[in-house]
Amino acid sequence: MKPWGLVLVLINLCWIRHVQAEFFTSIGQMTDLIYKERDLVQSLKEYIREEEERLSKIKRWATQVDELTSKSTADPEGYLGHPVNAYKLVKRLNTDWVSLENLVLQDSAKGFIANLTFQREFFPSAEDETGAAKALMRLQDTYRLDPDIISKGKLPGTDYISSLSADDCFGMGKIAYHESDYYHTVLWMQQALKQLDEGEEAAISKVEVLDYLSYTVFQLGDLQRAVELTRRLLVLDSSHERAGNNLRYFEKLLEKETSEKKLNKTSTTEAPTTKDGIYSRPLDYLPERDTYEALCRGEGVNMNPRRQKRLFCRYHDGNKHPLLVLGPIKEEDEWDTPHIVRYLDVLSDEEIEKIKELAKPKLRRATVRDPKTGVLTVANYRVSKSAWLEEYDDLVIARVNQRMQAITGLTVDTAEMLQVANYGMGGQYEPHFDFSRRPFDLNLKSEGNRLATYLNYKTESEAFKLLGTGNRVATFLNYMSDVEAGGATVFPDFGAAIWPKKGTAVFWYNLFRSGEGDYRTRHAACPVLVGSKWVSNKWFHERGQEFLRPCGLTEVD
């Protein structure tokens, strides 16, 4: 309800009451009342119309969200496995419900407002909405998804179809813009404009989109396109002051650039390469970015026929270990060198559900060590939640620990607790090492800043030194869910991609027998495109393995 509508009605009523003692004495004056009453009725009708429109908006919103919640509560994890659904849920709770609150606040629905105010304490924050938007952009980049594909929800491996509106696309673009991420700003503003051009109804206008888009392409150095977009904006709104000023500025720069080009017969500043309005993706801090993301898409895997012939499957009894003599485990080679194996039927469905049940209350955002301070902190390159489980938490943890010990032939006495991780929307862990590196080993191409590298190695070494158990000699990784799309474990150094399969586990050594780190084992958890990825892992340490895995005589033994 617009407050001024009701105020106007009340003012008119007050005016009539104030002067009514004077009107009967003059018919001429009373004729004024006819027109006042007509105006009053019109004001009242306008108030009623706006109130009905407001209630109609609330009803439409309630119907839409009711349909969504009916669908989402039927299969929460499956529903949120679709990254568009996850993003839109965060966006609704952080942005859309606030808009609804403002709409309802115009009425006296105190009970609903009180409830909504209470519930908002548990809603996602603006930071969550930004994080969800970045997750969608990460999926967009890693799996080379066109914004139109994401907007239409046409993602592999999901039964859910969830689309992004022009308003949603505009919101994505704004988030990217405020992060100074102009590459994604252009992509999502263009998508919003495309949907508006196709006739989609939206709260935002083409003028608003063009305002952001024109200035963003200017920031990217594309003066010609900035001029074209600004002119289009002014055709729609000739009184747009900022656009008018921008156009004059852009045209002046473009004229200067053209003059210099003619004078020097060469361009002093090259406009960014663009194809169909799409600019080149900027380079970032990760040297093996292209290789890593290609492997996540299943491209560039170096498993050739010759190497394939060296891979076998077998029954593994852990050198006649009592737990495996009567029930040997199925073992498959995933890679020849470094040797990576997959074990089948390692965890039962019942064990997996119990582990997840124990972990859920303890899940916290996964952290990494800040290379400068050594303090554990969250980072964009590790997006998941994790929990640590000890043997005394439940008998199933003790049983699983003993099984991993039997399979690997390594002792769990010096191993770390069982770490359980859940990767949600766009969840990932970019290329990293599981073992700690030496401070003086600074010749890695994958490391950028030498000081940061040194400090990172130093804090890693000290972290394991405090444990008193030596370095991480091996990694045992349990897959506790199938992932509909994405979520592979990849090794960029030698081009391997291992896909999650519920109930299986993969195992590899991080150190050579000499104790030197095997830098080939740098690996990553690819972003989850569709689904919810659950894993648990056990890191075995050097101490206690002296007779179980004797040292070698050379560095690469």
Side-chain angles (χ1 to χ4, degrees):
M1 177 178 71
K2 302 287 186 185
W4 60 263
L6 183 57
V7 169
L8 182 57
V9 173
L10 296 175
I11 289 173
N12 285 332
L13 286 173
C14 290
W15 180 84
I16 291 169
R17 288 194 185 112
H18 179 70
V19 300
Q20 64 184 350
E22 302 286 338
F23 275 114
F24 73 96
T25 61
S26 170
I27 295 297
Q29 274 194 324
M30 287 187 67
T31 57
D32 293 339
L33 294 179
I34 300 294
Y35 298 104
K36 279 292 178 185
E37 189 175 45
R38 183 194 64 181
D39 293 343
L40 184 59
V41 170
Q42 291 302 318
S43 297
L44 183 59
K45 287 170 67 176
E46 180 67 12
Y47 160 68
I48 293 170
R49 185 192 64 76
E50 291 180 4
E51 185 71 357
E52 287 176 341
E53 185 178 340
R54 184 181 68 85
L55 289 174
S56 179
K57 287 180 182 178
I58 296 171
K59 285 179 182 178
R60 284 198 302 272
W61 167 262
T63 301
Q64 290 171 0
V65 178
D66 186 42
E67 291 174 359
L68 281 171
T69 53
S70 296
K71 188 184 296 183
S72 61
T73 52
D75 180 17
E77 203 161 277
Y79 179 83
L80 290 175
H82 194 304
V84 171
N85 284 337
Y87 167 70
K88 292 187 73 173
L89 174 63
V90 173
K91 181 178 180 293
R92 277 199 307 276
L93 291 175
N94 182 61
T95 303
D96 298 349
W97 276 96
V98 176
S99 299
L100 180 69
E101 179 183 8
N102 293 333
L103 189 63
V104 177
L105 270 172
Q106 297 170 11
D107 197 37
S108 57
K110 294 181 180 178
F112 172 74
I113 293 301
N115 185 36
L116 182 57
T117 302
F118 171 75
Q119 295 294 345
R120 277 189 62 194
E121 183 181 344
F122 307 101
F123 283 3
S125 64
E127 185 179 350
D128 290 309
E129 185 173 346
T130 298
K134 284 183 176 179
L136 268 184
M137 295 173 202
R138 185 161 55 247
L139 296 176
Q140 173 185 357
D141 294 339
T142 303
Y143 298 104
R144 292 185 175 173
L145 300 174
D146 187 270
D148 193 57
I149 291 174
I150 298 176
S151 179
K152 292 176 180 175
K154 295 179 179 178
L155 301 180
T158 178
D159 296 328
Y160 294 95
I161 299 296
S162 183
S163 60
L164 292 172
S165 66
D167 292 321
D168 293 328
C169 296
F170 180 72
M172 291 278 292
K174 277 186 67 176
I175 286 172
Y177 180 83
H178 290 303
E179 293 284 317
S180 298
D181 178 2
Y182 301 128
Y183 169 74
H184 287 108
T185 303
V186 170
L187 290 176
W188 285 104
M189 288 301 176
Q190 285 181 160
Q191 182 61 30
L193 189 60
K194 177 177 180 286
Q195 292 179 210
L196 290 175
D197 285 340
E198 291 171 350
E200 181 180 319
E201 292 186 9
I204 52 111
S205 66
K206 292 181 184 180
V207 169
E208 292 175 271
V209 178
L210 287 165
D211 192 19
Y212 275 95
L213 187 54
S214 59
Y215 189 73
T216 302
V217 298
F218 164 70
Q219 291 288 81
L220 289 172
D222 195 343
L223 267 175
Q224 184 62 53
R225 191 153 177 252
V227 168
E228 292 169 1
L229 290 166
T230 308
R231 284 174 178 167
R232 183 181 172 187
L233 188 161
L234 288 167
V235 168
L236 296 173
D237 183 2
S238 59
S239 63
H240 200 292
E241 186 177 350
R242 181 171 57 251
N245 292 333
N246 283 349
L247 181 59
R248 286 188 289 274
Y249 179 62
F250 296 161
E251 287 178 332
K252 186 177 180 180
L253 287 177
L254 189 60
E255 184 180 343
K256 180 182 177 183
E257 185 180 279
T258 304
S259 299
E260 290 177 354
K261 188 176 181 180
K262 287 180 180 178
L263 184 65
N264 301 325
K265 295 183 179 181
T266 180
S267 177
T268 53
T269 55
E270 292 290 335
T273 303
T274 175
K275 181 182 178 183
D276 299 327
I278 299 175
Y279 298 91
S280 300
R281 182 179 168 192
L283 298 175
D284 64 11
Y285 54 87
L286 196 61
E288 68 262 66
R289 170 72 63 192
D290 291 342
T291 303
Y292 155 56
E293 292 185 351
L295 289 170
C296 290
R297 297 190 297 270
E299 302 168 6
V301 178
N302 294 329
M303 181 52 69
N304 53 44
R306 183 179 177 182
R307 173 170 273 137
Q308 185 76 46
K309 290 179 181 178
R310 296 200 289 263
L311 305 183
F312 298 94
C313 58
R314 63 192 72 83
Y315 282 103
H316 173 69
D317 63 6
N319 293 324
K320 306 297 181 183
H321 193 284
L323 290 179
L324 302 178
V325 170
L326 297 179
I329 203 82
K330 298 172 186 174
E331 181 184 83
E332 295 179 349
D333 292 330
E334 283 281 352
W335 208 260
D336 53 350
T337 178
H339 194 205
I340 303 174
V341 296
R342 186 193 293 261
Y343 299 109
L344 278 60
D345 303 321
V346 173
L347 296 177
S348 68
D349 287 347
E350 292 75 17
E351 288 172 330
I352 287 172
E353 290 308 310
K354 186 62 180 179
I355 292 171
K356 286 164 65 176
E357 178 189 327
L358 293 168
K360 281 181 180 178
K362 299 181 178 182
L363 286 175
R364 300 291 183 272
R365 174 72 185 267
T367 57
V368 295
R369 286 194 181 276
D370 186 293
K372 293 183 178 179
T373 65
V375 177
L376 290 174
T377 184
V378 298
N380 289 332
Y381 58 82
R382 188 180 189 185
V383 182
S384 65
K385 285 192 173 183
S386 61
W388 297 86
L389 300 179
E390 300 190 61
E391 288 203 358
Y392 60 72
D393 286 329
D394 194 273
L395 287 175
V396 71
I397 306 301
R399 187 163 66 244
V400 168
N401 282 346
Q402 290 304 308
R403 189 178 303 145
M404 289 187 285
Q405 178 172 270
I407 292 171
T408 62
L410 301 173
T411 180
V412 294
D413 291 346
T414 56
E416 294 176 46
M417 292 182 287
L418 186 70
Q419 181 182 227
V420 181
N422 179 220
Y423 296 83
M425 180 187 178
Q428 64 162 4
Y429 193 177
E430 289 180 355
H432 61 281
F433 299 98
D434 279 352
F435 62 91
S436 74
R437 295 157 287 171
R438 301 173 302 177
F440 50 83
D441 192 1
L442 301 175
N443 58 354
L444 287 178
K445 293 180 181 179
S446 59
E447 304 296 342
N449 184 299
R450 292 176 68 86
L451 176 60
T453 300
Y454 172 80
L455 292 170
N456 192 27
Y457 289 180
K458 192 171 187 295
T459 53
E460 285 179 357
S461 301
E462 289 177 350
F464 291 136
K465 187 177 181 180
L466 290 172
L467 290 174
T469 53
N471 211 340
R472 288 173 174 167
V473 67
T475 297
F476 195 103
L477 178 64
N478 298 296
Y479 293 117
M480 303 200 301
S481 67
D482 293 315
V483 179
E484 287 79 355
T489 305
V490 299
F491 295 79
D493 185 83
F494 51 89
I498 299 172
W499 302 93
K501 185 177 179 183
K502 187 179 181 181
T504 70
V506 291
F507 174 80
W508 67 86
Y509 283 100
N510 297 305
L511 308 179
F512 292 111
R513 285 184 178 273
S514 62
E516 295 296 318
D518 187 347
Y519 284 87
R520 298 172 300 172
T521 60
R522 183 172 168 87
H523 60 286
C526 294
V528 176
L529 179 56
V530 175
S532 177
K533 180 182 175 184
W534 284 89
V535 298
S536 61
N537 63 275
K538 175 69 71 173
W539 280 307
F540 292 90
H541 282 247
E542 291 177 290
R543 197 65 50 82
Q545 319 298 348
E546 291 85 355
F547 298 104
L548 300 174
R549 192 190 186 230
C551 292
L553 299 178
T554 66
E555 184 176 329
V556 295
D557 279 345

